[in-house]
């Protein structure tokens, strides 16, 4: 598998297959939203678009980075989200980096959104679909966020070497600038458990696939074959 690791600003054309990585916290939050019953997540271009979608669909749940704000029921925190019942709901998500990265590659033939919590499922989907050329979008810090790069490199390695040890990659993420800012309360809209939840390897058994649906970028969970099923293919 040929891989490249790019920041959002480095994307000059639509890749064939894109894995958009935001560990802390957009796609950890997205995975938790699905675990809490959400049907789909609409990735909004802006806060104004998120509020406009919410206005047109009052039953949708709007979520943003930072502190709470009028019109948004939730903030981008897995620790705060894990106690919310989202059964059958649609979530509108707008974050600083993760949603921006996914929208930047919306023309790709396959777009996966990932963090450590869905790493194995994401790697397995790349493997089962025999993806030969994959662009990993490192969303944080203009492509320099080590937690995102570490996760991207781990998934890339895991896609071709099922026995890859995650320890070093998780260590890098735990020592990243984003982890320190979350732990120290530099960022707003944070739960004390957020860093630990973002570093839970393979917490969920699904990958997350984003597709264009009626001009909206929509994220949905995607079941992937188990290791035993894959072995029999």
């Amino acid at each position: 598998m040929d891989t490249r690791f790019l920041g959002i600003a480095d994307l000059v054309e639509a890749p064939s297959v894109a894995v958009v990585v935001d560990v802390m916290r957009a796609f950890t939050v997205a995975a938790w939203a699905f675990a809490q019953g959400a049907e789909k997540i609409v990735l909004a271009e802006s806060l104004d678009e998120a509020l406009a979608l919410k206005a047109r669909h009052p039953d949708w749940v709007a979520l943003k980075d930072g502190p709470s704000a009028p019109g948004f029921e939730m903030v981008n925190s897995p620790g705060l989200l894990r106690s919310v019942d989202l059964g059958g709901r649609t979530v509108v998500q707008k974050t600083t980096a993760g949603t921006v990265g996914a929208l930047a590659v919306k023309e790709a033939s396959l777009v996966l959104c990932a963090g450590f919590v869905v790493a194995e499922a994401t790697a397995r989907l790349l493997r089962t679909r025999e993806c030969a050329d994959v662009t990993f979008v490192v969303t944080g810090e203009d492509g320099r966020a080590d937690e995102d790069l570490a996760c991207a490199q781990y998934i890339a390695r895991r896609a071709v070497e099922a026995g890859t040890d995650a320890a070093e990659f998780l260590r890098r993420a735990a020592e990243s600038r984003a982890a320190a800012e979350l732990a120290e309360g530099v960022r707003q809209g944070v739960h004390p458990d957020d860093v630990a939840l973002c570093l839970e390897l393979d917490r969920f058994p699904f990958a997350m696939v984003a597709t264009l649906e009626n001009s909206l970028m929509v994220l949905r969970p995607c079941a992937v074959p188990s290791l035993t099923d894959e072995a029999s293919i």
Side-chain angles (χ1 to χ4, degrees), residues 30-171:
W32 269 99
F34 291 129
Q36 295 304 105
E39 177 187 349
K40 64 184 179 183
I41 298 174
V42 177
L43 305 177
E45 294 264 9
S46 65
L47 294 176
D48 286 343
E49 184 189 30
L51 290 174
L53 288 167
K54 170 73 177 175
R56 292 202 298 272
H57 305 277
D59 57 323
W60 288 11
V61 178
L63 180 157
K64 64 178 283 293
D65 266 342
S68 58
F72 291 88
E73 293 93 335
M74 298 187 301
V75 295
N76 194 45
S77 161
L80 295 172
L81 186 68
R82 61 184 168 175
S83 60
V84 178
D85 180 6
L86 294 173
R89 305 288 294 277
T90 293
V91 174
V92 180
Q93 184 181 33
K94 169 67 179 87
T95 69
T96 305
T99 58
V100 176
L103 289 162
V105 293
K106 62 185 178 182
E107 302 299 333
S109 59
L110 175 63
V111 179
L112 304 178
C113 295
F116 282 109
V117 291
V118 293
E120 170 58 24
T122 304
R124 205 154 65 233
L125 186 60
L126 292 172
R127 197 159 58 240
T128 56
R129 295 199 183 186
E130 299 181 345
C131 297
D133 189 355
V134 181
T135 296
F136 288 86
V137 183
V138 180
T139 61
E141 298 177 33
D142 297 322
R144 298 186 299 273
D146 201 39
E147 75 281 3
D148 293 339
L149 180 59
C151 183
Q153 291 171 336
Y154 173 70
I155 292 171
R157 186 86 58 83
R158 187 85 180 181
V160 295
E161 299 175 22
T164 300
D165 187 352
E168 176 61 18
F169 301 96
L170 288 168
R171 182 197 63 77

